[in-house]
Amino acid sequence: VGSLHLVFDGTNTPQIRDIGAPGIGTGNTPSFTVDGTTTVLENQQSGTDIAFRTRSGNSFSNALKIKTQTSSIGIFVDDPQYTVDISGTLHTTGNTVIDGDLTVNGEATYVNVTNIQVEDKNIELGQGDGAIGTDVDIDGGGIILKSSDGDKSILFDNGNDSFDANI
């Protein structure tokens, strides 16, 4: 006898079969096998999703949802709309590399680093919602260095059509 396979065939009665490799499930049921050095959880029915659920009180939520039709993964998201869709705070340690554009939607962006390097020689400010504002819209905009001895700033003054420096 080789390795045994535990099969659930829809009758709620598990069957044990000799298939030569350890695993659970066949046909249209989920399959759990060991393939060399890789443990594989495989959905045998085409077009069906996989969910790993957690229980809180009397209700369950999808901790991880894999949608086959859209090739997307949701982490605590029932219907992921992106390749990786996360509900909650994403925290990473080490380096993170993003090959492509980065869009941040929110009220504030915090960058807690010692140095910021920007390849471009221009930094554009005051472009809310993709629209370029008028001089009235950007009045008071500029650069402020925070200091316990008093802030230092270079700000646009629409009334004088100039930049005012407070150094």
Side-chain angles (χ1 to χ4, degrees):
V1 175
S3 299
L4 299 177
H5 196 149
L6 184 59
V7 178
F8 296 91
D9 62 2
T11 64
N12 293 328
T13 304
Q15 300 176 9
I16 298 176
R17 297 184 186 151
D18 178 8
I19 63 162
I24 299 173
T26 61
N28 286 336
T29 63
S31 172
F32 181 79
T33 59
V34 177
D35 182 10
T37 59
T38 304
T39 301
V40 178
L41 173 62
E42 200 170 76
N43 193 351
Q44 298 294 319
Q45 190 169 357
S46 179
T48 45
D49 302 336
I50 295 176
F52 295 89
R53 295 195 173 127
T54 59
R55 183 177 184 155
S56 178
N58 291 328
S59 63
F60 290 90
S61 63
N62 290 330
L64 180 67
K65 176 82 177 262
I66 302 170
K67 288 184 67 174
T68 58
Q69 296 298 323
T70 58
S71 298
S72 56
I73 297 172
I75 301 174
F76 289 101
V77 174
D78 288 333
D79 187 21
Q81 301 298 307
Y82 306 99
T83 303
V84 178
D85 200 345
I86 300 171
S87 175
T89 300
L90 172 65
H91 177 91
T92 63
T93 58
N95 295 329
T96 302
V97 176
I98 299 172
D99 291 327
D101 296 336
L102 173 64
T103 301
V104 179
N105 297 320
E107 296 298 316
T109 301
Y110 302 95
V111 181
N112 297 318
V113 297
T114 302
N115 293 306
I116 296 177
Q117 293 182 346
V118 179
E119 183 178 315
D120 200 322
K121 61 184 175 184
N122 296 312
I123 298 174
E124 296 179 1
L125 304 174
Q127 189 171 344
D129 296 328
I132 297 174
T134 66
D135 285 356
V136 172
D137 296 328
I138 63 171
D139 186 41
I143 299 172
I144 301 172
L145 297 174
K146 304 301 285 180
S147 170
S148 61
D149 295 326
D151 294 347
K152 311 303 184 244
S153 62
I154 301 173
L155 303 174
F156 179 69
D157 180 353
N158 182 47
N160 294 321
D161 199 23
S162 64
F163 279 91
D164 295 336
N166 176 16
I167 300 176

